[in-house]
Amino acid sequence: MKTKKLVAAMLLIGLCLVSQAQTNSQKSSDPDNLAKEYFSQIMGVAANATTNTKLYQFVYEWLGTPYRLGGDSKRGIDCSKFSLAVYENVFNTTIGYNSRNQYQNVTPVRKGELEAGDLVFFKIRSRNITHVGVYLGDDKFAHASSSRGVMVSNLNEAYWKRYYYNGGRPKVDDAKIMTADANPKEKSNLN
């Protein structure tokens, strides 16, 4: 009798393990989950923080693009044109053409309240805003670095921590919302 109970218990445990393995394989075969896991690894952002696949895909496609002051193409781009391109292509909205102008078009957000897609601003050796990036989550942001081109950096690195000024979320009017949908119902407008 003891042997039958032992065999039954082992079969039950085996079925549970097989069921769990099937559930995990179904999750990883979901294209959205696969994309989130991939971008999570590439950009160093936790998979559960990777909420906007379109944002991460856009950033990924631009990684390594060289820096060029005033540039706005994959041959070369500067930080404000990169953030502008992100907003035009991912969120279907326009935010301004330089970092200071972009800051005028945002509602300030505390560092601890940043969400994917928010802008992060820096005052590098200046009293004025001189650099902008797009927050990705987990203290990571994408930007066009003058030394390394489009890349992902960490807000907690000493350099960025030293020059960090503020975060911001683009202003939108009440009737429209900022969206990452490819076919939004209404295009958002900034104040």
Side-chain angles (χ1 to χ4, degrees):
M1 191 68 165
K2 243 182 176 180
T3 307
K4 286 183 180 180
K5 285 183 180 180
L6 182 62
V7 170
M10 291 178 69
L11 284 173
L12 182 62
I13 291 171
L15 285 172
C16 289
L17 291 173
V18 168
S19 174
Q20 181 66 30
Q22 288 175 340
T23 302
N24 287 342
S25 71
Q26 288 171 350
K27 282 182 184 175
S28 64
S29 65
D30 176 21
D32 286 339
N33 282 337
L34 286 173
K36 285 180 182 182
E37 288 176 25
Y38 179 72
F39 294 131
S40 166
Q41 291 175 5
I42 295 293
M43 295 180 201
V45 178
N48 62 354
T50 313
T51 56
N52 187 332
T53 305
K54 188 173 179 180
L55 170 63
Y56 298 104
Q57 181 176 355
F58 185 84
V59 169
Y60 174 75
E61 291 170 0
W62 281 79
L63 287 176
T65 299
Y67 179 87
R68 190 179 76 171
L69 183 62
D72 63 358
S73 72
K74 291 212 178 172
R75 289 183 295 144
I77 194 162
D78 67 22
C79 65
S80 56
K81 293 293 188 332
F82 176 70
S83 58
L84 174 65
V86 168
Y87 269 82
E88 286 180 341
N89 291 282
V90 175
F91 299 109
N92 301 308
T93 193
T94 301
I95 57 171
Y97 290 96
N98 65 51
S99 56
R100 287 180 296 281
N101 181 260
Q102 290 173 359
Y103 188 72
Q104 293 171 353
N105 288 314
V106 300
T107 301
V109 176
R110 292 181 185 175
K111 195 174 187 180
E113 297 172 356
L114 289 169
E115 296 176 2
D118 287 343
L119 296 171
V120 288
F121 297 92
F122 303 86
K123 290 183 175 182
I124 301 173
R125 297 180 198 95
S126 173
R127 291 179 179 219
N128 298 315
I129 293 170
T130 58
H131 191 66
V132 62
V134 180
Y135 189 72
L136 300 173
D138 277 354
D139 295 322
K140 303 290 192 315
F141 68 103
H143 62 115
S145 160
S146 59
S147 60
R148 295 182 48 203
V150 177
M151 62 183 289
V152 174
S153 295
N154 191 321
L155 288 173
N156 292 321
E157 291 174 19
Y159 181 84
W160 298 113
K161 210 173 195 177
R162 179 178 180 188
Y163 295 114
Y164 180 81
Y165 175 64
N166 209 354
R169 193 163 295 141
K171 298 174 185 172
V172 293
D173 63 29
D174 294 334
K176 300 172 185 177
I177 58 169
M178 189 174 70
T179 177
D181 293 341
N183 298 312
K185 292 182 175 145
E186 286 192 65
K187 207 170 186 181
S188 47
N189 227 356
L190 296 177
N191 297 332

